[in-house]
Structures are given as structure tokens and as C-alpha cells.
Amino acid sequence: MAQIEVFENKYPDRDYYITHVNEEFTSVCPKTGLPDFGTITINYIPDKLCLELKSLKYYFLDFRNKGIFYESVINQILDELVEACKPRYMEVRGDFTTRGGMHTTVLAVYDPQKRGGFQK
């Protein structure tokens, strides 16, 4: 996987949300080998570090040919982003395009203080 880079948060004493949206996420269904498409939304409250966008873009590109289920994609992204920037709060949401008449949304949350987040 591409290394996720971070930079120093200039406002570590303030809670504020950062939202990143990747509308062109792709991976591969491990059962059929067909491509999966979706939108990945990351909402987080940074602590001392923020995610750097160029590295995040290349990180997402590494999923392009990876056979992985939706649930695993979202949980893996959450785990790796939390490890990289150690936020106060983070949620990763995947809205995957309709296939076979089914639309799937997966939401994973890192919330050590149980502070809540965006309305679903």
C-alpha cells in the first residue's frame, strides 16, 4: 500500500471536522472479479496530525486491482487512517454503486470518546 503522509495540525486545541471525498474509488469483487465503484467519504476530527491529500489519493489507487469486499475495504481504510494520523474521531463511509439491483453503504467509526458525529 502507498504510505499515508500526514502534516502537523496548526489548531490541535480545537475540535473541527475535516471531510475528504473520493468519488472515483474502485476495487474488485473477490467473488466475481468484476470492478466495484463507489464514493468514499472520510470525516474526522484531527488531533496533532492531518491527512495529506496527495498521499491519500495514491493510497486509494492501490485498491484499484485488489479483490476485497465492501465491508473489508471500509474497515481497512479506517484502521490504516487512524493508525496514520491518530485522530480524536473518524468515520469512513463507502457508498457503492448499484449492482444487481442492490445499493450498499458501509460506515465504520473510530470514536474513543463516544462523541458522535455527522448525522447519517
Side-chain angles (χ1 to χ4, degrees):
M1 296 297 300
Q3 182 166 348
I4 302 163
E5 296 180 25
V6 295
F7 62 92
E8 184 180 335
N9 178 10
K10 295 195 185 256
Y11 306 97
D13 297 328
R14 179 182 303 156
D15 277 357
Y16 64 98
Y17 282 94
I18 298 174
T19 301
H20 301 304
V21 180
N22 176 352
E23 296 179 341
E24 299 176 346
F25 181 84
T26 58
S27 61
V28 175
C29 175
K31 290 280 248 186
T32 65
L34 296 172
D36 287 325
F37 303 95
T39 298
I40 305 295
T41 303
I42 302 160
N43 296 310
Y44 73 105
I45 300 172
D47 192 13
K48 295 180 177 145
L49 301 171
C50 298
L51 298 169
E52 191 276 325
L53 291 179
K54 182 178 178 183
S55 70
L56 190 58
K57 176 177 80 170
Y58 285 109
Y59 169 78
F60 282 136
L61 285 174
D62 281 347
F63 285 96
R64 174 172 254 153
N65 295 314
K66 183 173 183 172
I68 188 167
F69 290 111
Y70 298 150
E71 298 81 3
S72 294
V73 167
I74 299 308
N75 281 285
Q76 180 179 332
I77 291 170
L78 178 66
D79 289 346
E80 292 174 350
L81 296 184
V82 165
E83 183 178 325
C85 73
K86 298 169 183 44
R88 294 182 189 149
Y89 171 88
M90 182 178 281
E91 61 184 39
V92 177
R93 178 185 183 117
D95 290 302
F96 297 94
T97 56
T98 302
R99 179 188 289 180
M102 298 288 293
H103 173 89
T104 301
T105 299
V106 178
L107 176 68
V109 176
Y110 169 76
D111 191 359
Q113 296 182 4
K114 307 294 184 222
R115 68 178 82 224
F118 288 105
Q119 294 295 317
K120 305 333 172 245

